[in-house]
Coordinates of all heavy atoms in Angstrom, one line a residue:
E1048 N 42.1 -28.2 -2.2 CA 40.9 -27.9 -2.9 C 40.0 -27.0 -2.0 O 39.3 -26.1 -2.6 CB 40.1 -29.2 -3.2 CG 40.9 -30.0 -4.3 CD 40.1 -31.2 -4.8 OE1 39.3 -31.7 -4.0 OE2 40.3 -31.6 -5.9
S1049 N 40.0 -27.1 -0.7 CA 39.2 -26.2 0.1 C 39.8 -24.8 0.1 O 39.0 -23.8 0.0 CB 39.2 -26.8 1.6 OG 38.5 -25.9 2.4
V1050 N 41.1 -24.7 0.2 CA 41.7 -23.4 0.2 C 41.5 -22.7 -1.2 O 41.2 -21.5 -1.3 CB 43.2 -23.5 0.5 CG1 43.9 -22.2 0.2 CG2 43.4 -23.9 2.0
A1051 N 41.6 -23.5 -2.2 CA 41.4 -22.9 -3.6 C 40.0 -22.5 -3.7 O 39.8 -21.4 -4.4 CB 41.8 -24.0 -4.6
H1052 N 39.0 -23.2 -3.2 CA 37.6 -22.8 -3.3 C 37.4 -21.4 -2.6 O 36.7 -20.6 -3.2 CB 36.7 -23.9 -2.7 CG 35.3 -23.5 -2.7 ND1 34.5 -23.6 -3.8 CD2 34.4 -23.1 -1.7 CE1 33.3 -23.2 -3.6 NE2 33.2 -22.9 -2.3
R1053 N 38.0 -21.2 -1.5 CA 37.9 -20.0 -0.8 C 38.5 -18.8 -1.6 O 38.0 -17.7 -1.5 CB 38.6 -20.0 0.6 CG 37.9 -21.0 1.6 CD 38.3 -20.6 3.0 NE 39.7 -20.5 3.2 CZ 40.5 -21.5 3.7 NH1 39.9 -22.7 3.9 NH2 41.8 -21.3 3.9
H1054 N 39.5 -19.1 -2.4 CA 40.1 -18.0 -3.2 C 39.6 -18.0 -4.6 O 40.1 -17.2 -5.4 CB 41.6 -18.3 -3.2 CG 42.4 -18.0 -2.0 ND1 43.0 -16.8 -1.7 CD2 42.6 -18.7 -0.9 CE1 43.5 -16.8 -0.5 NE2 43.3 -18.0 0.0
G1055 N 38.6 -18.8 -4.9 CA 38.0 -18.7 -6.2 C 38.9 -19.3 -7.3 O 38.8 -18.9 -8.5
V1056 N 39.7 -20.3 -7.0 CA 40.6 -20.9 -8.0 C 40.0 -22.3 -8.3 O 39.8 -23.2 -7.5 CB 42.0 -21.2 -7.4 CG1 42.9 -21.9 -8.4 CG2 42.6 -19.8 -7.0
P1057 N 39.5 -22.5 -9.6 CA 38.9 -23.7 -10.0 C 39.9 -24.8 -10.3 O 41.1 -24.5 -10.7 CB 38.2 -23.3 -11.3 CG 39.0 -22.2 -11.9 CD 39.6 -21.5 -10.7
D1058 N 39.5 -26.0 -10.1 CA 40.3 -27.2 -10.5 C 41.8 -27.0 -10.1 O 42.7 -27.0 -10.9 CB 40.3 -27.5 -12.0 CG 38.9 -27.8 -12.4 OD1 38.1 -28.4 -11.6 OD2 38.5 -27.5 -13.6
P1059 N 42.1 -26.9 -8.8 CA 43.4 -26.5 -8.4 C 44.5 -27.5 -8.4 O 45.7 -27.2 -8.5 CB 43.2 -26.0 -6.9 CG 42.1 -26.9 -6.4 CD 41.2 -27.0 -7.6
L1060 N 44.2 -28.8 -8.3 CA 45.2 -29.8 -8.0 C 45.4 -30.7 -9.2 O 44.4 -31.3 -9.7 CB 44.8 -30.6 -6.8 CG 45.9 -31.6 -6.3 CD1 47.2 -31.0 -6.0 CD2 45.4 -32.4 -5.1
Q1061 N 46.6 -30.9 -9.6 CA 47.0 -31.9 -10.6 C 48.2 -32.6 -10.1 O 49.2 -32.0 -9.7 CB 47.4 -31.1 -11.9 CG 47.9 -32.0 -13.1 CD 46.8 -32.9 -13.7 OE1 46.9 -34.1 -13.6 NE2 45.8 -32.3 -14.3
M1062 N 48.1 -34.0 -10.0 CA 49.2 -34.7 -9.3 C 49.2 -36.2 -9.7 O 48.2 -36.8 -9.8 CB 49.1 -34.6 -7.8 CG 48.0 -35.4 -7.2 SD 48.1 -35.4 -5.4 CE 47.2 -36.9 -4.9
T1063 N 50.4 -36.6 -10.0 CA 50.8 -38.0 -9.8 C 51.9 -37.9 -8.8 O 52.8 -37.1 -8.9 CB 51.3 -38.7 -11.1 OG1 52.5 -38.1 -11.5 CG2 50.2 -38.6 -12.2
V1064 N 51.9 -38.7 -7.8 CA 52.8 -38.7 -6.7 C 53.4 -40.1 -6.4 O 52.6 -41.1 -6.5 CB 52.1 -38.2 -5.4 CG1 53.0 -38.5 -4.1 CG2 51.9 -36.7 -5.5
G1065 N 54.7 -40.2 -6.1 CA 55.3 -41.4 -5.6 C 56.0 -41.1 -4.3 O 56.7 -40.1 -4.2
T1066 N 55.7 -41.9 -3.3 CA 56.4 -41.7 -2.0 C 56.7 -43.1 -1.4 O 56.0 -44.1 -1.6 CB 55.5 -40.9 -1.1 OG1 56.2 -40.5 0.1 CG2 54.2 -41.6 -0.7
T1067 N 57.7 -43.1 -0.6 CA 58.2 -44.4 0.0 C 58.8 -44.2 1.4 O 59.4 -43.1 1.6 CB 59.1 -45.1 -0.9 OG1 59.6 -46.3 -0.3 CG2 60.4 -44.3 -1.3
D1068 N 58.7 -45.2 2.2 CA 59.4 -45.2 3.5 C 60.6 -46.1 3.5 O 61.2 -46.4 4.5 CB 58.5 -45.6 4.6 CG 57.9 -47.0 4.4 OD1 58.2 -47.7 3.4 OD2 57.2 -47.5 5.3
G1069 N 61.0 -46.6 2.3 CA 62.1 -47.5 2.1 C 61.7 -49.0 2.2 O 62.5 -49.9 1.9
D1070 N 60.4 -49.2 2.5 CA 59.9 -50.6 2.5 C 58.8 -50.7 1.4 O 58.8 -51.6 0.6 CB 59.4 -50.9 3.9 CG 58.8 -52.3 4.0 OD1 59.3 -53.2 3.3 OD2 57.8 -52.6 4.7
R1071 N 57.8 -49.9 1.5 CA 56.7 -49.9 0.6 C 56.7 -48.6 -0.3 O 57.3 -47.6 0.2 CB 55.4 -50.0 1.3 CG 55.1 -51.4 2.0 CD 53.8 -51.4 2.6 NE 53.7 -50.6 3.9 CZ 52.6 -50.4 4.6 NH1 51.5 -51.0 4.2 NH2 52.7 -49.7 5.7
I1072 N 56.1 -48.6 -1.4 CA 55.9 -47.5 -2.3 C 54.4 -47.2 -2.4 O 53.6 -48.1 -2.7 CB 56.5 -47.6 -3.7 CG1 58.1 -47.8 -3.6 CG2 56.2 -46.4 -4.6 CD1 58.7 -48.2 -4.9
W1073 N 54.0 -45.9 -2.2 CA 52.6 -45.5 -2.5 C 52.6 -44.6 -3.7 O 53.5 -43.7 -3.8 CB 52.1 -44.7 -1.2 CG 51.8 -45.6 0.0 CD1 50.6 -46.1 0.4 CD2 52.8 -46.0 1.0 NE1 50.8 -46.8 1.5 CE2 52.1 -46.7 1.9 CE3 54.2 -45.7 1.1 CZ2 52.7 -47.3 3.0 CZ3 54.8 -46.3 2.2 CH2 54.1 -47.0 3.2
T1074 N 51.7 -44.8 -4.6 CA 51.5 -44.0 -5.7 C 50.1 -43.4 -5.8 O 49.2 -44.1 -5.3 CB 51.8 -44.7 -7.0 OG1 50.9 -45.8 -7.2 CG2 53.2 -45.3 -7.0
F1075 N 50.0 -42.2 -6.3 CA 48.7 -41.6 -6.4 C 48.5 -40.9 -7.8 O 49.5 -40.3 -8.3 CB 48.6 -40.5 -5.3 CG 48.8 -41.0 -3.9 CD1 50.0 -41.1 -3.4 CD2 47.7 -41.4 -3.2 CE1 50.2 -41.6 -2.1 CE2 47.8 -41.9 -1.9 CZ 49.1 -42.0 -1.3
R1076 N 47.3 -41.0 -8.3 CA 47.0 -40.3 -9.6 C 45.7 -39.6 -9.4 O 44.6 -40.3 -9.2 CB 47.0 -41.3 -10.8 CG 46.7 -40.6 -12.1 CD 46.8 -41.6 -13.3 NE 46.6 -40.9 -14.5 CZ 45.6 -41.1 -15.4 NH1 44.7 -42.1 -15.1 NH2 45.5 -40.5 -16.5
Y1077 N 45.7 -38.3 -9.4 CA 44.5 -37.5 -9.1 C 44.6 -36.1 -9.7 O 45.7 -35.6 -9.8 CB 44.2 -37.4 -7.6 CG 43.0 -36.6 -7.3 CD1 41.7 -37.1 -7.4 CD2 43.2 -35.2 -6.9 CE1 40.6 -36.2 -7.2 CE2 42.1 -34.4 -6.7 CZ 40.8 -34.9 -6.8 OH 39.7 -34.1 -6.5
S1078 N 43.5 -35.6 -10.2 CA 43.4 -34.2 -10.5 C 42.0 -33.7 -10.2 O 41.0 -34.5 -10.3 CB 43.7 -33.9 -12.0 OG 42.8 -34.5 -12.8

């Protein structure tokens, strides 16, 4: 978001993410 702001790009990030280390799972929902 900081880099996008410098380049004049509005609302730059849209994401749902899933990541794991093989033991736990982390999920994220953000835009």
